[in-house]
Structure formats: structure tokens, C-alpha cells
Amino acid sequence: MKDIILIGFMGAGKTTVGKRLAERFRWDFIDTDEYIEQKAGMAVSEIFDRYGEENFRARETEALQEILQERKEAVISVGGGLPMREKNREYLKKLGRTIYLRAQVDTLVERLSGDTARPLLRGQDLRARITQLMELRSDVYESAADVILDTDTMHIGRIVREIAEITEDLRQAEKNS
Ligand code: S3P
């Protein structure tokens, strides 16, 4: 498959960028959190509260398996923790090209302050929590990515344009090879 997959930390802009990209390409848009919520009939935070994080992680893997059965091209934005499972990274490779929307801790703190929806950020010092999770995750994000985009100073429109250009270049390179 040649889907475009957006990975990155919470607050990196994956969903917003993904929706805009899908509109531009006239492709389907899938957000794994929304997919899981619709299937469960529950918000992500409720799944965490009622069944715990591991249960949510299993749902993420299941969602990817199901999305892989879809044959239509799509832009897919995935939850910030999804690439941490090796199995999920294998599925991402099968699905298409992965783009890491990278952002610095300062940027993420700014974007996420006041957020109440994300269970992993509840009740803790935001900067310390983001720093701690980014230490665990950043190498994995980087190694899972075909393309890394530093988004700190970019607005959404520019990120969308850059990804569209990169994708077009990759397509041309493939055609010519
Ligand atoms: C999570 C990120 C969230 C959501 C869940 C866990 C994470 O998605 O999947 O709250 O582990 O980073 P977003 O990255 O879309 O906020």
C-alpha cells in the first residue's frame, strides 16, 4: 500500500495536517484514535480509565490490522504511542510511507498546556512528562520514519504543502527507478 502515515508526539498536529492532506489528495482520512473510539463507542480517555493502557494498545494494533485490509489510499494519523510497538511498526511499513512530524519539547508544552483529553498527561507536571516520554520515544519515531519534518516554526498550511511536495518527489523517483 502507498498510504501516507503521520506519526509524532501528542500535539504534533498529526490529525489537523492529516485531514488537510487527505482533502488535498482527495484520499480517505483515518485517525486511529477516532477509529478506535467509533468502534468502542467510547472516548480514548474512557478506554484508559475503564480498561487500562494495555487494553488501548491492543486496540491500536487491531485497528492497524483492520486498516491494512482496506484497499483505498488513505492519509492515516496514528496516536502518539502507537509506533512504540514493534508489531505496529511492521504494519506501518506495510501501509506506506511514514512521516514524523517532529517538534521540540518547548513547542509541545505550549501546544498541550490546558489539554484535558489525553490520559497520559493528566495530573502531572506537563513539561516533565513530555520530556520523559520524548526520551523514550524520539529514537523510535526517528527510526520508524521515512521522512522527518521539523514543524516548530511551520504553520499547518506549510506542513501540508511540504508533505505534498515530498510525496510527489517520492512518487516520481519510484516511477523513474
Ligand atoms: C497517546 C496519544 C494520543 C492517544 C492516547 C495515547 C500517546 O493520541 O492515542 O491518548 O501514548 O502518546 P494523539 O497523539 O493523537 O494525541
Side-chain angles (χ1 to χ4, degrees):
M1 295 272 287
K2 283 287 167 255
D3 292 340
I4 296 176
I5 303 121
L6 302 177
I7 65 169
F9 202 78
M10 296 170 261
K14 298 171 300 241
T15 305
T16 314
V17 169
K19 277 187 183 147
R20 292 269 293 267
L21 259 183
E23 273 167 26
R24 185 172 175 136
F25 293 157
R26 297 197 167 80
W27 286 8
D28 285 351
F29 172 70
I30 303 170
D31 176 274
T32 56
D33 287 340
E34 283 172 13
Y35 184 99
I36 291 165
E37 287 182 335
Q38 271 177 15
K39 205 174 156 194
M42 246 182 287
V44 168
S45 56
E46 201 180 338
I47 298 174
F48 268 73
D49 289 344
R50 284 168 72 160
Y51 306 110
E53 180 172 352
E54 270 317 294
N55 179 281
F56 174 73
R57 299 301 172 199
R59 290 173 197 254
E60 287 189 312
T61 302
E62 201 178 285
L64 281 184
Q65 278 164 341
E66 290 169 8
I67 293 165
L68 253 177
Q69 309 306 315
E70 297 263 332
R71 296 307 324 134
K72 251 179 117 183
E73 278 173 322
V75 178
I76 305 169
S77 84
V78 306
L82 182 146
M84 298 308 290
R85 271 199 179 183
E86 197 183 341
K87 188 83 207 155
N88 294 350
R89 295 197 293 277
E90 283 170 25
Y91 286 139
L92 295 184
K93 279 219 157 53
K94 287 190 187 156
L95 279 166
R97 297 191 185 95
T98 297
I99 298 174
Y100 172 24
L101 301 187
R102 186 162 63 183
Q104 300 299 313
V105 171
D106 280 347
T107 309
L108 295 169
V109 170
E110 204 174 291
R111 292 191 193 154
L112 290 165
S113 70
D115 182 277
T116 52
R118 291 171 168 100
L120 290 182
L121 303 178
R122 277 193 299 223
Q124 305 175 57
D125 177 74
L126 186 62
R127 176 175 295 274
R129 182 64 172 145
I130 293 173
T131 305
Q132 177 199 34
L133 283 172
M134 274 300 275
E135 271 167 17
L136 292 171
R137 293 180 176 183
S138 58
D139 288 352
V140 176
Y141 289 151
E142 283 169 20
S143 64
D146 297 302
V147 177
I148 300 175
L149 216 56
D150 283 306
T151 63
D152 300 275
T153 58
M154 283 194 209
H155 33 82
I156 302 292
R158 165 119 185 265
I159 300 173
V160 171
R161 271 202 309 281
E162 295 232 354
I163 296 177
E165 278 166 25
I166 291 165
T167 312
E168 192 46 42
D169 288 349
L170 287 170
R171 243 189 241 143
Q172 287 301 335
E174 251 168 37
K175 251 194 210 164
N176 298 334
S177 68

